[in-house]
Amino acid sequence: MPSSPWKPSPCRQAWGSRPSPGKADVVLEALNGRTGPAREVPNTGDIRADLTVAVQAVVRLLATDLGTVWRALLAEAQTDHRFAEELRRTFFEPRNQRWQERFDTAVAAGQLRGDLPVGAMIETLFGPIYHRLLLGSTPLDPDDTARIDYFLNGVKARP
């Protein structure tokens, strides 16, 4: 049998001897393939500008059909703990690490408060986006940058 030019993604390679992946695992692998690895987080030195660019990109992506896929994956993670761990490990943790580094830089530059856990800042920034995605309480709007100001009003360093 000829070898395939298809190269398994890191997600697929990580399966090793574990049970065969389910549908959600295959969709997650495709999603990771489509979105690529955790990208560099913008770092222009202006935290507001960087957050605006990044949050708008996330919202634009989730406002497409990909948002429907995300809702299904997040729903699956609520009942399949193995899949939830895979989702955290292969998707969220690498991205959170990038944000951790960016926020640490902003804290060191005096742009963000140093007395708040950076992980809590990340969850506070992105949590409302996923809340709106999952509940449909407010449409996802990439031009709604007021929420970034709300966020920054709570985490900005005070003189």
Side-chain angles (χ1 to χ4, degrees), residues 34 52-67 129 140-145:
R34 178 174 174 189
T52 300
V53 167
V55 167
Q56 285 179 321
V58 169
V59 170
R60 277 191 188 97
L61 194 62
L62 292 174
T64 68
D65 289 343
L66 193 58
I129 295 169
L140 291 169
D141 179 1
D143 296 323
D144 181 8
T145 58

Side-chain angles (χ1 to χ4, degrees), residues 54-137:
V55 167
Q56 285 179 321
V58 169
V59 170
R60 277 191 188 97
L61 194 62
L62 292 174
T64 68
D65 289 343
L66 193 58
T68 303
V69 172
W70 258 115
R71 279 192 295 277
L73 289 175
L74 294 171
E76 179 69 17
Q78 302 312 298
T79 58
D80 182 339
H81 299 291
R82 184 205 45 79
F83 176 71
E85 178 56 34
E86 192 69 14
L87 181 64
R88 276 189 296 277
R89 189 183 64 74
T90 66
F91 192 86
F92 286 110
E93 287 176 7
R95 286 155 180 81
N96 286 350
Q97 180 59 42
R98 299 288 184 154
W99 280 105
Q100 174 86 35
E101 293 162 5
R102 176 61 183 101
F103 281 19
D104 286 345
T105 300
V107 167
Q111 295 177 325
L112 298 178
R113 293 169 49 182
D115 63 327
L116 299 175
V118 171
M121 287 189 220
I122 295 166
E123 290 174 353
T124 302
L125 177 63
F126 290 103
I129 295 169
Y130 286 101
H131 181 270
R132 290 163 59 195
L133 173 72
L134 291 171
L135 300 181
S137 57

